[in-house]
Amino acid sequence: MRPCQASCMQLPAQPYEERLTVPRSWWLISFLIGVSCALILLPFGVLPMLGGLVGGTAVAAVVASSYGSVRIRVVGGFLVAGEAKVPVTALGRAEVLDPEEARAWRTYKADTRAFMLLRAYIPTALRVEVTDPEDPTPYLYLSTRHPQALREALEAARTAAASGAA
């Protein structure tokens, strides 16, 4: 008998995980910010100019990567989106939003009470109703590159949670 057979449990595979990363063009913009910092420091000499190039690029890259480090996961009966962690049993219908409809839900259709994980560089989204009567949040708006896959993962997790509770 292998040692892991008795003590290790098989964990279910994560049905969905996505990291919302910034577009590649943002890295070019980070470098261009470094170049502009270098040009500002050019009158002070070569060494400050190089420091401005490296420092400006580094600061811009850190800001871009931290903004793009948000993850959306469906794991362990929960939807984890950024700082929100919602049990799938408290979620209702999920609606896939095409770019035009996503723009509408970001602007004039938006509810101020909604939780919005919004990334303007991602055109598609998923809107998920919150069915918990004690939660004032009417829905979750989640920018995602794969809204259909996220919806299917939520449905699978909700089905698994319902069959586990029965």
Side-chain angles (χ1 to χ4, degrees):
M1 181 158 123
R2 294 184 302 172
C4 188
Q5 285 180 338
S7 63
C8 294
M9 293 176 29
Q10 292 292 329
L11 298 174
Q14 285 187 351
Y16 187 84
E17 181 166 340
E18 178 180 9
R19 180 177 217 116
L20 302 181
T21 57
V22 296
R24 289 187 181 119
S25 62
W26 284 35
W27 299 109
L28 175 63
I29 292 169
S30 296
F31 176 71
L32 293 176
I33 289 171
V35 169
S36 67
C37 290
L39 291 174
I40 290 169
L41 296 174
L42 179 62
F44 299 108
V46 175
L47 201 55
M49 181 192 70
L50 291 175
L53 175 66
V54 171
T57 302
V59 168
V62 165
V63 168
S65 66
S66 66
Y67 180 73
S69 67
V70 162
R71 292 185 341 178
I72 299 174
R73 296 179 300 173
V74 177
V75 61
F78 287 91
L79 168 65
V80 182
E83 295 179 6
K85 184 175 182 181
V86 183
V88 293
T89 55
L91 298 175
R93 188 175 64 89
E95 178 185 358
V96 173
L97 304 175
D98 62 14
E100 189 174 314
E101 193 66 20
R103 191 175 316 106
W105 280 101
R106 284 193 307 258
T107 55
Y108 63 91
K109 286 186 177 181
D111 188 331
T112 57
R113 299 170 300 154
F115 174 81
M116 299 186 83
L117 183 65
L118 174 64
R119 295 297 182 258
Y121 52 83
I122 299 177
T124 56
L126 187 73
R127 189 177 73 86
V128 186
E129 294 177 352
V130 177
T131 58
D132 184 2
E134 295 180 18
D135 191 346
T137 307
Y139 62 89
L140 309 172
Y141 176 98
L142 307 172
S143 292
T144 174
R145 289 184 174 95
H146 312 288
Q148 185 63 36
L150 178 54
R151 183 173 83 177
E152 291 169 2
L154 285 172
E155 289 173 1
R158 194 176 311 125
T159 302
S163 66

